[in-house]
Amino acid sequence: MKPRILTGDRPTGPLHLGHLVGSLQNRVALQREYETFVLLADVQALTDNFEQPDKVRRNVLEVALDYLAVGLDPQACTFVIQSQIPEIAELTVFYLNLVTVSHLRQNPTVKTEIAQKGYGEAVPAGFFVYPVSQAADITAFGAQLVPVGADQLPMIEQTREIVRRFNGLYAPVLVEPQALVGRAARLPGLDGQEKMGKSLGNAIFLSDPADEVRRKVMGMYTDPGHLRVEDPGQVEGNPVFTYLDAFDPDPARVQALKEHYTRGGLGDVKVKRHLLDVLEGTLAPIRERRADFAQDPGAVMMLVQEGTHRGREVAAATMARVRQAMRLDYFGPG
Ligand code: ATP
Ligand code: MG
C-alpha cells in the first residue's frame, strides 16, 4: 500500500503563485508515489465567509480547474469536497475535547488572521477552532504527509498533538502526519506583505490573463529607496527578487541580476520585464490547460463527485476505528 497525502485549499478564490510554489508543485511531484487526497475545504472557507455561500460554491469549480491546470491528474489523486464528508465534522467534535482554548489562542497563524480580519474577541467560534477541523481532515484520510505552505506549520503541529493525545487516551488508531513545505515556504504578496493570499488582494492568480499579469508585475512593490537607475538597490525584502528565486529556472542569472541591482545601474522596469518573461514561462501552459478544462465544467464536477465518493469511504473506515476506540460502537462496527 502506498503512503497517503492529504492536502487542500479553501475555495475562497482561484489559486495563485503562492499555492504553486508552496504546495501544488509538491503535490504534482508526489502524486504517483503517494495515494493523494486533495480537499476542497468549503467548510473551512465558510468559517470566515459564511455570509457568502455563493462565493464558496463558485470557487469550488475554480479551484478544481486550477488543480487540473497545474497537472494534478485525477487518475492519480482524489479530489474531495469537505462538506460532503460528515465524518470530518464528527471527528472535529471529538477532537475539540482534546485541545484547550488557551492553546488555540496561541496559534500564530490564526492570531495573525484574526488581526488581519479585524475580528478581535468577536471572532466566529468556527474560525477560531479551524486548526482542529484541519486535524480532522488530515486524520480522516490517515495521511502521513501534508504538503503545505509555512503558514500551515502550526496546524500540522496541532494535528500531531491531537493525534498523540487521542492515541494515548483511547487506542493507537490515528496516523501522525508530517508537513512538507515547498520551494518557497511563504511567497510574499505583490505589495511586499509577508504572504500572498487569495483574500488579501495581493496575488497573481494562475488564471490571470497575460495582460493582467503584466499590469500586476509592473505595479509591484520593490525597494522604495531605489529611486534612480544608478542608485544601489536592496534585494532583501524585495518581492521581485523573491519571485525570481522561486520561479526563474536559471539561478546563476538571478544571482547576476541581484549583484547588478545591489551595485546600482539596474532599473526596476528592466528586472520586472525579466520577471514577467519568467512568470509567463510558468503560467502560459497552465492558462492553456485551464481553458481546455473550463470548456466542460460538468465533466470537472463529475470527477470531483467520484473523488468525493471515494474519499467518503476512506473517512468512514477511519471513523469506525475511532468509534471503536472511543467506546461508541454500541451497535457493532461501522
Ligand atoms: P485565504 O486568504 O482565503 O486564506 P490562501 O491564499 O491563504 O487563502 P489557502 O487556501 O488558505 O490559501 O491555503 C492553501 C494552501 O496554500 C496552504 O497549504 C497554504 O499554506 C498554501 N499557501 C497559501 N498562500 C501561500 C503563500 N503565499 N506562499 C506559500 N504557500 C501558500
Ligand atoms: Mg489561508
Side-chain angles (χ1 to χ4, degrees):
M1 254 191 18
K2 289 183 190 175
R4 287 196 183 139
I5 277 179
L6 180 281
T7 177
D9 307 275
R10 293 151 36 93
T12 50
L15 300 185
H16 53 64
L17 290 176
H19 296 110
L20 192 63
V21 281
S23 167
L24 293 170
Q25 286 174 342
N26 273 336
R27 301 182 203 178
V28 173
L30 297 174
Q31 62 183 334
R32 282 170 235 290
E33 225 173 292
Y34 285 76
E35 189 181 3
T36 299
F37 294 88
V38 183
L39 204 63
L40 292 145
D42 59 342
V43 176
Q44 199 190 112
L46 284 166
T47 60
D48 57 337
N49 289 275
F50 54 89
E51 289 152 317
Q52 300 176 78
D54 289 330
K55 168 180 158 185
V56 172
R57 165 118 192 188
R58 193 173 61 246
N59 280 304
V60 165
L61 176 64
E62 294 300 323
V63 172
L65 284 170
D66 288 329
Y67 289 162
L68 294 166
V70 299
L72 286 178
D73 175 0
Q75 300 297 327
C77 55
T78 306
F79 303 145
V80 180
I81 301 186
Q82 188 184 28
S83 62
Q84 307 306 300
I85 314 293
E87 288 79 7
I88 293 176
E90 208 176 341
L91 289 172
T92 303
V93 168
F94 297 134
Y95 295 171
L96 280 169
N97 298 330
L98 308 181
V99 296
T100 63
V101 171
S102 73
H103 192 62
L104 285 171
R105 263 194 227 285
Q106 287 159 20
N107 185 305
T109 299
V110 177
K111 247 194 210 169
T112 307
E113 289 172 342
I114 288 175
Q116 271 168 353
K117 293 169 203 294
Y119 281 145
E121 282 295 305
V123 57
F127 184 84
F128 183 63
V129 304
Y130 89 73
V132 180
S133 84
Q134 226 166 293
D137 299 336
I138 295 165
T139 53
F141 293 92
Q144 280 92 345
L145 197 66
V146 191
V148 282
D151 64 306
Q152 294 304 305
L153 292 176
M155 316 316 181
I156 310 306
E157 200 41 51
Q158 174 71 84
T159 302
R160 291 162 60 89
E161 287 168 24
I162 289 174
V163 167
R164 289 195 289 259
R165 193 89 208 282
F166 184 102
N167 286 349
L169 273 174
Y170 304 121
V173 296
L174 299 180
V175 178
E176 193 171 327
Q178 298 250 336
L180 176 70
V181 168
R183 180 163 175 191
R186 192 190 310 259
L187 197 73
L190 292 167
D191 51 3
Q193 292 295 311
E194 205 191 1
K195 177 180 171 298
M196 180 180 284
K198 293 188 213 94
S199 313
L200 300 174
N202 63 4
I204 293 179
F205 296 106
L206 303 178
S207 49
D208 276 342
D211 57 344
E212 183 76 5
V213 177
R214 172 178 301 277
R215 198 184 57 72
K216 287 180 176 174
V217 168
M218 288 306 169
M220 269 178 82
Y221 174 91
T222 59
D223 169 13
H226 188 231
L227 298 176
R228 291 166 308 175
V229 173
E230 58 273 24
D231 290 342
Q234 275 269 4
V235 166
E236 295 303 310
N238 187 331
V240 173
F241 287 97
T242 316
Y243 290 10
L244 285 175
D245 281 333
F247 294 101
D248 195 328
D250 182 351
R253 179 169 60 185
V254 178
Q255 192 49 38
L257 285 171
K258 282 182 180 173
E259 281 163 19
H260 193 177
Y261 194 81
T262 313
R263 255 193 336 264
L266 178 58
D268 284 317
V269 173
K270 205 157 174 195
V271 195
K272 285 179 173 178
R273 285 218 184 95
H274 173 60
L275 174 61
L276 192 58
D277 283 346
V278 165
L279 290 182
E280 275 304 307
T282 301
L283 289 172
I286 294 177
R287 199 181 288 130
E288 212 167 290
R289 275 199 300 271
R290 199 180 196 279
D292 285 345
F293 286 113
Q295 287 183 355
D296 194 351
V300 175
M301 288 311 286
M302 189 68 88
L303 283 174
V304 175
Q305 189 176 355
E306 284 163 10
T308 301
H309 184 77
R310 201 178 125 44
R312 179 97 203 260
E313 287 171 1
V314 173
T318 303
M319 198 64 230
R321 287 194 288 275
V322 164
R323 281 205 202 92
Q324 196 184 14
M326 294 186 73
R327 318 265 296 114
L328 300 167
D329 53 339
Y330 301 103
F331 309 122

